[in-house]
């Protein structure tokens, strides 16, 4: 076997990187569970017909074929593809199991997804998403649109990453405003507004007129709307000062203001209403969210989502939802590449029990078992080499303590201190028991 | 969207089932980490050429194709398939990253794998495996062949499942014995012995002669060997009493006896040497392991593995290993189907904070935040319905406590007891804080 090479777009971490990832996943899960979200997993595959219901994602799907299957096998409805997000599977899961779920159904889901895209610009072909959603039967109160981004703000704040900024908007504001000023092609206008960063104000003004049927005045008004940002009621005042009025606009402004006001009270400085946020507005029906890592805005959004009035429908009942999805791999790749977080050692082990002689390995195993029985992670030296070599085994892995069964002593190999100890009572310092993942103050500073 | 149906071979659990699975995975991981195994994950795909290196698995592979890819795209070496186990990826990972790993490399890996088999007989097309392996550079001492099944015995004993029996054998015993009695086709003889359950002793005796070139006497001796079972040194005595002698046989017997003796000391009654265990012997080079669930032997092995002298080789260095793999999904499907384990509630939530009036939702949110700040999982009622309805929301999910912010009281809805409580100091009983997964004594009894 020649030395294999990595596959572009399929990231893989060495053990210390995986330890950071595991810490991130554990922290997210813990926060989600503290808020009452139940964990589920869905199968990795869905029928291709389900995956292609939205045409624009079709280019991203990986289709499965069994190796022994005839190449020209019927491409029927039962052909399977790997899921490219966790929302399509959630919709299917809710419909399939609606009779056995309780609504509102609050679930989190942390799984890998796959997209057959060109791997570039921080995009991956295989990556982990961490989603939370609340799904209602027929109705879903607005307050969940406040609750969910706050759960994500809390979850992200608990991670060893820089602070985040959550930008929010509301589909009803844009739609109500455009309709009030007579701009009929709402979706078209939103797609143009989304290009502000790329083509600038003049470019957007031109394209609104050539591509979205706007007059010069409508284009100017749309740009004035998109320029508004803020985290309090003045956002609504400034929108209304532009002169447009409609019940939908006013409903949207009320929701947007109550969202940023609640956020300002509970997580000050994190959330901002930004009326240029357009992405996803043609899919969502209420609040929308995007999240950037402060100082790493070029990474793009690391946590996005919104409210959709019809996540799923079986013809009889519809299931509205609101949810957000963290791009864990995108986030983690940056954290690891820039060494923003570190783990205190590359193995779980807190104590290496030395072996004096192969014939006495069982004594070392016994010490190890007694320590483990009290929840201390322990390894036993792989060979009865000279103690210096056994200490190097610990040192290379970052294991802080080496236990010598013959003398009944334990050595802190960082300080060199060696003291008598009883395997039934000795405790490592709490910070040494398990590997610690922390923000790397040097890199972050 | 019509009501979707399940896909045969792709199991999915409702939230309570997932809670049991999560508990199983957490318990396995905790045990593996207590023993110093570092966690890794590998990408879900490998080059098809790697997956097909062992021809006999080719029928099981799912090949990936991007939807927009030309149907007649070159089937080159870079074509990708989903991994069907975690051993092929481990071998590749070790070779790819050998320069950055420390050896012996102890890793655990818990991931989904896929096989395009006919879903039947408890076989799945998507399932989770939990593997531990130790990989050495060039050498790997025998004592790891003792350590690894003992780690698995400890991990399995910590799960909410019936007791297990680990059956062990050693390739060197069978090979040394067959060679000593002049039976040249060792692999062929092992494949026949493997059919003992299906075709019986006479069938095996016949087939050893017709298919593996054995004489009648050799066939009888092979059957005598296969009949030996035990958990102490008498196993070796009974093998040697059959008369065959070779250095390889004696080495194998010594290893086998030291394995079962160590196991008998550390986990009495769990491990037994069983010389008919043949599966995998043509792949492994030393100890082999199979595990059955007592009372559920028809499920087949739920945890198998062994020693392989060359897990991987890059031409310069070879990497011997020993490992075992738990078939988590197979195990879990049985546990859930027979209700062997139960979870105390279907959501993480310990406390539901009631909402008196939608205008006062923020008071309920504040109580919830204060409880969560002390690590108590809390949900807030979705609407300010009548309290009776809010209590039913809790009851249907198994949430034990409902908090009434207006009166400042908390009610245990199981007993009906309602007492004043302070959200900054109140604690639920420890057994109520998080959902508890336990053996279902009724089903198990």
């Amino acid at each position: 076997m020649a030395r294999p090479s990595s596959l572009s777009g399929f990231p893989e971490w060495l053990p210390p990187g995986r330890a950071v990832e595991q810490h991130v996943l554990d922290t997210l899960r813990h926060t989600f569970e503290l808020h009452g979200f139940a964990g589920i997993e869905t199968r990795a595959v869905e029928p291709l017909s389900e995956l292609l219901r939205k045409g624009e994602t079709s280019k991203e799907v990986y289709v499965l074929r069994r190796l022994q299957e005839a190449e020209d096998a019927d491409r029927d409805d039962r052909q399977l593809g790997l899921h490219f997000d966790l929302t399509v599977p959630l919709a299917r899961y809710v419909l399939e199991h609606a009779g056995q779920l309780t609504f509102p159904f609050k679930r989190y889901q942390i799984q890998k997804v796959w997209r057959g895209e060109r791997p570039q610009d921080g995009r991956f072909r295989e990556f982990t998403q961490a989603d939370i959603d609340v799904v209602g039967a027929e109705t879903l109160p607005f307050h969940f649109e406040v609750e969910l981004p706050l759960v994500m703000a809390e979850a992200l704040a608990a991670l060893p990453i820089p602070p985040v900024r959550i930008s929010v908007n509301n589909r009803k504001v844009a739609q109500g405003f455009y309709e009030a000023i007579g701009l009929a092609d709402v979706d078209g206008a939103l797609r143009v507004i989304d290009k502000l960063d790329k083509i600038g104000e003049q470019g957007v003004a031109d394209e609104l007129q050539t591509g979205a049927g706007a007059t010069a005045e409508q284009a100017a008004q749309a740009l004035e709307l998109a320029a508004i940002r803020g985290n309090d009621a003045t956002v609504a005042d400034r929108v209304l000062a532009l002169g447009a009025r409609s019940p939908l606009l006013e409903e949207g402004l009320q929701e947007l203001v109550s969202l940023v006001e609640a956020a300002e009270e509970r997580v000050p400085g994190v959330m901002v209403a930004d009326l240029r946020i357009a992405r996803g507005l043609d899919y969502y029906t209420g609040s929308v969210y995007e999240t950037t890592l402060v100082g790493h805005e070029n990474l793009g959004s690391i946590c996005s989502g919104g409210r959709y009035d019809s996540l799923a429908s079986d013809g009889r009942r519809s299931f509205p939802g609101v949810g957000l999805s963290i791009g864990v791999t995108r986030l983690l790749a940056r954290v690891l590449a820039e060494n923003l977080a570190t783990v205190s050692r590359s193995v779980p082990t807190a104590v290496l029990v030395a072996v004096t002689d192969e014939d006495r390995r069982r004594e070392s195993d016994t010490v190890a078992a007694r320590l483990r029985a009290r929840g201390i992670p322990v390894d036993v030296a792989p060979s009865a080499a000279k103690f210096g070599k056994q200490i190097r085994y610990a040192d290379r892995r970052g294991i802080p303590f080496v236990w010598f069964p013959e003398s009944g002593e334990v050595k802190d190999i960082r300080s060199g201190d060696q003291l008598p100890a009883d395997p039934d009572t000795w405790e490592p310092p709490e910070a040494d028991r398990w590997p610690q993942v922390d923000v790397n103050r040097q890199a972050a500073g």
Side-chain angles (χ1 to χ4, degrees), chain A residues 424-443:
Chain A
D424 292 328
T425 57
W426 179 85
E427 290 281 345
E430 204 47 41
D432 285 332
R433 179 181 289 258
W434 293 102
Q436 300 293 308
V437 174
D438 279 307
V439 171
N440 183 354
R441 303 283 163 204
Q442 265 180 314

Side-chain angles (χ1 to χ4, degrees), chain A residues 331-348:
Chain A
L331 181 60
L332 196 77
R334 176 64 60 101
V335 166
L336 296 179
E338 302 205 355
N339 201 23
L340 300 178
T342 54
V343 62
S344 56
R345 54 187 189 251
S346 66
V347 292

